[in-house]
Amino acid sequence: THFGYQQVDVHEKQAKVAEVFHSVAAKYDLMNDLMSMGIHRLWKRFTLEKSGVRKGQRVLDIAGGTGDLTMAFSRRVGPDGQVILADINASMLQVGRDRLTDKGYVGNVEYVQANAEVLPFPEAHFDCVSIAFGLRNVTDKDRALGEMARVLKPGGRLLVLEFSKPNNPLLSKAYDTYSFTALPFMGRLVTQDADSYRYLAESIRMHPDQETLKQMMQDAGLDQVQYYNMTGGIVALHKGIKF
Ligand code: SAM
């Protein structure tokens, strides 16, 4: 399709991603619940369990958007810890900041507009770095993973939660049909924007599968990389340790 970003210019992809998230920011949480039938909450809860984050630690939530993970991390690290929600998109960042502030998450959360490919933080700074449903939107994924490894302290954990490859061909077919028909349909209904959701479906299909992402994380300097399939591999959590 015309959003098949492997053929398009890098800047074109970045511009498309910006347009998509400006367009969906206000309705993002509602769409997340609708599209995943609420299951994204379980995927995120599992991610949190695997994070090993404790009181007083410093966490970076990249592509944090409206802040689901940031909120949970903020509770975990407590008043002596710190969570930074970073996102490239000003509209998403605004919605996230308003939402968290309204819910009373103040004091240990900060907001930074940043591209995952060029993180404005010193090396060995964080105990945990997360990126949930964000990596597939990043143009240079290897560079971004390298940056994530750089800002992690030795022994720190990187968590990548992302759509992946369903491990059963039947599920894979059903899921493909769902992504390319129901998603744009719901997108149009709720946000008057079917194109953005068509882009999302396309970006999911193009994303590296479980083993490829594992290798990419190893190449970026992460150790003990393992992944957990969820919902039949529709989503996978990859975890790696900085050595
Ligand atoms: N992490 C949140 C969650 O799980 O609900 C939000 C995920 S949302 C699907 C993807 C987010 O990635 C958007 O907020 C978008 O602005 C952000 N994003 C896209 N490209 C990015 C990049 N290169 N660097 C940082 N954030 C990016």
Side-chain angles (χ1 to χ4, degrees):
T1 79
H2 59 298
F3 294 143
Y5 57 71
Q6 284 201 326
Q7 293 93 314
V8 301
D9 173 63
V10 163
H11 298 290
E12 216 174 294
K13 167 165 174 162
Q14 235 163 44
K16 181 68 210 164
V17 170
E19 187 190 315
V20 164
F21 286 104
H22 279 302
S23 156
V24 305
K27 298 277 176 60
Y28 178 79
D29 289 320
L30 173 63
M31 282 305 292
N32 250 1
D33 274 330
L34 283 177
M35 289 178 341
S36 75
M37 298 171 250
I39 302 173
H40 73 105
R41 291 159 190 269
L42 303 179
W43 298 331
K44 286 171 181 162
R45 194 173 307 155
F46 183 76
T47 304
L48 217 67
E49 273 167 31
K50 290 287 165 199
S51 74
V53 165
R54 297 186 305 276
K55 287 230 169 317
Q57 291 195 325
R58 199 184 281 148
V59 180
L60 172 65
D61 184 20
I62 302 177
T66 57
D68 279 353
L69 278 185
T70 296
M71 268 192 285
F73 283 134
S74 158
R75 286 197 295 270
R76 282 210 166 203
V77 300
D80 297 330
Q82 184 192 34
V83 186
I84 295 181
L85 190 166
D87 201 289
I88 199 172
N89 192 291
S91 306
M92 290 295 283
L93 212 52
Q94 185 66 45
V95 173
R97 182 202 289 259
D98 290 350
R99 179 172 177 237
L100 268 61
T101 308
D102 286 350
K103 287 179 184 283
Y105 289 90
V106 286
N108 67 1
V109 183
E110 283 179 41
Y111 304 85
V112 174
Q113 187 169 7
N115 183 347
E117 293 166 12
V118 220
L119 294 174
F121 307 106
E123 58 188 70
H125 194 64
F126 295 98
D127 299 289
C128 179
V129 171
S130 63
I131 178 163
F133 304 110
L135 190 62
R136 70 174 188 280
N137 299 304
V138 174
T139 311
D140 190 340
K141 297 176 183 49
D142 292 317
R143 187 165 170 208
L145 289 169
E147 277 290 88
M148 296 175 207
R150 179 183 66 78
V151 300
L152 272 173
K153 295 177 186 171
R157 287 89 55 206
L158 173 62
L159 297 161
V160 181
L161 181 64
E162 192 51 272
F163 292 104
S164 207
K165 283 267 176 313
N167 38 32
N168 164 325
L170 221 85
L171 177 65
S172 181
K173 185 90 195 70
Y175 174 62
D176 223 48
T177 308
Y178 174 76
S179 314
F180 283 92
T181 55
L183 284 197
F185 176 75
M186 283 195 269
R188 190 167 56 221
L189 224 63
V190 178
T191 64
Q192 280 74 53
D193 180 2
D195 265 2
S196 290
Y197 285 90
R198 211 165 289 126
Y199 161 79
L200 288 182
E202 192 73 43
S203 69
I204 291 169
R205 185 187 266 175
M206 313 277 283
H207 194 68
D209 65 15
Q210 286 87 334
E211 283 296 325
T212 309
L213 180 55
K214 180 178 172 180
Q215 187 60 53
M216 287 164 71
M217 285 174 66
Q218 283 165 343
D219 294 345
L222 292 145
D223 207 12
Q224 299 173 45
V225 179
Q226 46 181 321
Y227 59 83
Y228 308 88
N229 283 327
M230 291 180 266
T231 321
I234 285 179
V235 163
L237 173 68
H238 282 67
K239 178 177 172 179
I241 314 277
K242 167 75 177 289
F243 52 80

